Amino acid sequence: MIINFCLEIKQNLFTAARSKALEDMAYTDSLTGIFNRRKCEEEFVNMDQSGKTFGMISFDLNNLKTTNDTKGHEMGDLLIRSFAQILNDTFGK
């Protein structure tokens, strides 16, 4: 019985970890680690249904294509990750 109990706990922990990993993959941008469009749209629906007032800010990284073309996609990715870190530091989750 104890072995079965331990195996069941192990399976439950594994299932919970797998569910969390799948949720993270579905809602998080793999390059930046911040929430993606799918998560934002879901949050907008939740806030709208709750009657909360909210706003949206849109950003554009100027000349990113030029950076990718002249300095490589690694540098472009670095710029995107750096900007994402600034957003995360400023606004949090």
Side-chain angles (χ1 to χ4, degrees):
M1 261 173 77
I2 292 174
I3 292 173
N4 285 339
F5 177 74
C6 290
L7 290 173
E8 187 175 331
I9 288 175
K10 178 183 173 188
Q11 183 62 37
N12 289 342
L13 290 172
F14 175 77
T15 301
R18 183 174 42 181
S19 294
K20 173 74 171 118
L22 289 172
E23 182 178 334
D24 287 348
M25 286 175 18
Y27 290 127
T28 306
D29 179 74
S30 61
L31 177 65
T32 63
I34 62 176
F35 287 139
N36 61 17
R37 179 180 179 165
R38 179 182 296 124
K39 178 66 173 178
C40 290
E41 288 175 348
E42 187 176 291
E43 289 298 316
F44 290 152
V45 168
N46 291 339
M47 287 186 290
D48 190 45
Q49 289 175 348
S50 71
K52 291 181 181 178
T53 302
F54 63 92
M56 181 182 355
I57 300 171
S58 177
F59 296 99
D60 179 35
L61 297 179
N62 290 334
N63 301 317
L64 182 60
K65 181 179 180 346
T66 303
T67 299
N68 284 336
D69 291 347
T70 60
K71 300 187 192 262
H73 287 273
E74 295 82 15
M75 181 58 75
D77 288 352
L78 177 63
L79 290 174
I80 292 169
R81 284 193 304 270
S82 298
F83 184 68
Q85 185 62 51
I86 291 168
L87 290 176
N88 194 46
D89 292 347
T90 303
F91 299 106
K93 275 198 163 197

